[in-house]
Amino acid sequence: MLGIDSLKSSLTVSDAAVELISRLSFIFSSEFLSSLHPLSSHLKAISYRQGELSGFVPVSVLIACDAKLGNLCRSIDARVESNPFLSIPLVMKAAARLTELLITLEEDLSIRRKNPYLSDAILALPCPRSDVTNEPLTEAVYIPFSLAKDVRSLSINLYQEGYYLDVIAKELDVVIASKVLISRTIGKASSESRLYYSASEPSNLDSVLVSHEANELSYSDSSFNVRASYMLGQHVYGNAILASVGYTWRGAELFNEDVSMRSYYRMLVARMPDGLYKLSRDSLLIADLPGLFTTKTNWRGSLPRDILCAFCRQHRLSEPVFDVVCNSNKSDHDSHGSCSNLSTEKLRTGVASKTRGALATIGPNSAKIESFSCGVKVFSKNHNLILESSRIDTFMKQGDAVQNASLRVLSFLNLYFKQPNMTIEELCLLGADCDIQCHSTCFMKEFSLCQLLHKVQQPSHLRGGHKLNTNHRDPSNVVSIFENKQWSIQGAACGSLPSNGSLVSISYSVILVSKSIQIREILEKSDEFEFEIGIGAVISCIEAAVLQLTAGQSVCFYLDMPQTELVLAATMDCEKVLSFLSSKSCFLEYSITVLRVTEPLEDRMEQALFSPPLSKQRLEFALRCIKEFSATSLIDFGCGSGSLLESLVDTPSSLEKIVGIDVSQKGLIRAAKVLNSKLDKLEAVMLTSNIQLAILYEGSITEFDSRLSGFDVGTCLEVIEHMEEDQACLFGDIALGLFCPRVLIVSTPNYEYNVILQRSNLASQEEDPDDKAKVQPCKFRNHDHKFEWTRQQFDHWATGLALKYNYSVEFGGVGGIQGVEPGFASQIAVFRRKQHEPVKDSGETTHTQSHYKTLWKWDATNSVGESGPCSVECN
């Protein structure tokens, strides 16, 4: 039987040994010769070999081409799982038992039939090609074991000998083909690419067993090939050739296709977690492994679970084990945080709560609601536990739980691969930061080759020149504005700027530029590339640039060189690019054009269902309050990209000083550009404006800065729901207890209104097809919301704060009708200080504190110093 059947679990070692002998007997039978099995094509080809080698089959060929032989050998010796070449002595010893059928050459590691095949059978075989001079050369990659030599392209005429393996043996300087070992296939499942390399020079089979014993090899051996070993995931000695050639199930003819240097570097990149994602997006110099999985609808590229499975296969690990648990009506997920008074309220009224992106909802009158959490375990091929992630997040969908758990493991692995030389202590600390329990001894053992390759990855002529830059994604380390020029945005602004959750479609090109030798080489380009803002799906500098653009606008900027392997994996001409990289003045030119911006579902629903849009109604509400109180100073807590501050510049008012605070430097940079432009235009045309000072600070609104105490008005519009509940409560204490504005305006979504929003056509259009048949509780309006409060909960929080700090509070909202269920879509609390001197929080110090960093400042009295164009940094 020619099919490859899985072996029964009850097969004993002795039974497997008997089956191995039987399998060899069948392979060398006349019946097998006429089959379409890849090995039968090898048997036909070796019959045309000349001299004493005629008819001899290398044992490595038998093992590489017949999976059933490998399965039987694994049943005899479990170590074959991690090192298939331990099968060689097992097959040789089994063949030695077939003395009437086979002849074995122990020193040459080859086998042939004792009695040649019948002449009729041989005559029926196709003859090898006789005219070898006109045959096209096959491109392969030569990987020398010496680190002093570079990996290079190799052209081979596979038909210059009667048997293609004899040709490869000559290229490897191996005396006979039977001393060439053939690896498993590398790369994609459909790939026929394999490594060919020389076996050791044993005097007997026992020395083969010792020299190739799994996990017992010495890296100090002068012939150890670290680059080939890393690619294969097994130890390789001597020179190696990466080629896609051989006999396959596709037909009797010799199959071959080119393997370029680009293919080699793409295979290297594919062994990295982020590399697998980059390749799935066909974008090596733009894409990056996201740090967050929001929805399947918004995700682009291979899913995290698929990437993790592919990573494990690449590194010869067992398939990851996903431990999914269904939680029913578990209230402990809904009572976290430091707002202890709200916890009891939650249990009584029902609340939606979110933990680190996890969604779990419990309604007061709802039926049984299920949520899911997922842990992941990764084992070696020998079933040793390498790492495990605990079930710390909960999700409404089982698929989301699996994808997020997979992404957490991938993020941990990616951080390790960026700095594989870390100590065991550093590895354990990294695991703790990622909520991953790492079994360090097994982990280090499995990825030891990664540590070695990290030192020798680059071509020898680049070492000491272009250093391996694994911080390409960190803009503070790699941004260099060419000749100190700022970004120049081309095209008129049209439409809205992107924000977190937006889907942005861009076209781009990445060009290698060398200033010293005046060359420009296109490395990568795309006519359309789509990604979600705010999840880290592209390198930081790209997202920072895109956040400044609207549809139709473009920008060009320059970055330092990234990891050399990424550049060589991206280009179509490795040799040409390598010659350019020898110049130390190379950098990359990025040209980006925004094609379209699809706003987050929350924003689109608000625009579609409310006129004017809910966001505009919130701004108008705040502006009415500012005018009512004749405020001269305002501080916007969580100003984001500055939409409120921009409206204040456009609207005549009594304000003289406006300040914005946010943790997002990207948003602040965008706000600075808009405000700077508007304020300068007002000044240039001599329009009357009371605003004399505008400042943007980078910092957390849960930290106090004494420079901003005592403003007339404070605003915090749709911000607190993006914080954990305990942090939202802390903000309330800091804002009213220390900042002490005369008036504080806070808005947040009304969770009770979500049922109306999610009945809209927009929401149903973007619903996951897998969920349409299920009865789902109301979701949050935005994946980044950590909680959403009911009216009663918001009232409870605001009333408690007002009482504590001697403020009055009034409730209102926008997007709805007062007194009509279910209330306003966006609920608003307006706090007013009852007396001139505020009640300070006795638990906090009030002396001078400056926690915030001044990112941008505009001063009408200083027309030269700080009122010029704001500098744009890629952060």
Side-chain angles (χ1 to χ4, degrees), residues 621-777:
F621 185 100
L623 290 172
R624 287 195 299 271
C625 291
I626 293 166
K627 289 182 178 180
E628 176 186 345
F629 301 123
S630 300
T632 60
S633 59
L634 176 139
I635 178 171
D636 189 15
F637 296 102
C639 65
S641 57
S643 56
L644 173 61
L645 301 176
E646 182 183 353
S647 297
L648 294 174
V649 172
D650 291 334
T651 305
S653 70
S654 57
L655 286 173
E656 299 176 0
K657 180 179 181 180
I658 57 175
V659 171
I661 306 168
D662 205 279
V663 294
S664 171
Q665 195 179 83
K666 294 176 184 177
L668 291 171
I669 290 173
R670 186 168 59 179
K673 288 174 66 67
V674 173
L675 291 174
N676 200 89
S677 175
K678 285 182 175 290
L679 288 166
D680 279 351
K681 284 180 181 178
L682 286 175
E683 190 177 49
V685 297
M686 303 298 291
L687 290 179
T688 58
S689 173
N690 288 327
I691 296 177
Q692 300 297 306
L693 184 65
I695 308 176
L696 294 178
Y697 290 105
E698 180 184 358
S700 168
I701 63 174
T702 60
E703 291 184 335
F704 175 62
D705 191 308
S706 58
R707 292 172 293 179
L708 306 181
S709 180
F711 273 56
D712 287 339
V713 174
T715 54
C716 185
L717 305 182
E718 306 296 291
V719 174
I720 60 173
E721 64 273 9
H722 294 271
M723 310 161 69
E724 299 293 347
E725 279 185 287
D726 58 344
Q727 294 296 297
C729 293
L730 176 59
F731 162 71
D733 289 327
I734 296 291
L736 297 186
L738 293 177
F739 285 109
C740 307
R742 284 173 50 207
V743 176
L744 176 66
I745 306 167
V746 178
S747 76
T748 191
N750 173 15
Y751 177 71
E752 297 165 85
Y753 205 92
N754 290 3
V755 65
I756 295 177
L757 295 176
Q758 288 167 22
R759 287 175 186 163
S760 68
N761 290 332
L762 273 175
S764 60
Q765 288 171 10
E766 296 205 2
E767 188 176 1
D768 192 325
D770 297 337
D771 297 328
K772 289 188 176 180
K774 303 176 184 178
V775 178
Q776 295 286 344

Side-chain angles (χ1 to χ4, degrees), residues 70 73-75 77-87 183-184 197 212-217 229 232-236 314-318 379-384 445-446 449:
C73 290
R74 277 190 288 274
S75 297
D77 188 344
R79 296 174 300 173
V80 171
E81 183 66 51
S82 58
N83 189 347
F85 299 114
L86 293 177
S87 302
S183 78
R184 58 180 173 82
Y197 56 99
H212 289 278
E213 194 164 72
N215 302 317
E216 296 295 333
L217 299 176
S229 297
L232 184 59
Q234 298 168 194
H235 301 109
V236 175
Q314 287 275 7
H315 290 270
R316 304 290 291 163
L317 305 173
S318 296
F379 295 86
S380 70
K381 277 294 184 182
N382 294 326
H383 307 294
N384 295 317
K445 183 178 181 180
E446 290 296 326
L449 290 172

Side-chain angles (χ1 to χ4, degrees), residues 146-151 226-227 453-468 564-565 581-582 584:
S146 172
L147 298 179
K149 298 180 180 179
D150 291 333
V151 177
V226 62
R227 291 173 290 204
L453 187 71
H454 186 71
K455 302 175 181 177
V456 299
Q457 278 177 307
Q458 299 191 80
S460 59
H461 68 281
L462 297 184
R463 291 179 207 135
H466 290 293
K467 298 213 180 266
L468 185 62
T564 305
E565 283 68 31
L581 291 179
S582 60
K584 296 184 180 181

Side-chain angles (χ1 to χ4, degrees), residues 43 61 181 203 253 425 533 608 622 626 649 657 679 725 836:
L43 294 171
V61 170
L181 298 180
S203 57
E253 292 294 322
E425 291 75 15
I533 292 288
I626 293 166
V649 172
K657 180 179 181 180
L679 288 166
E725 279 185 287
H836 182 69

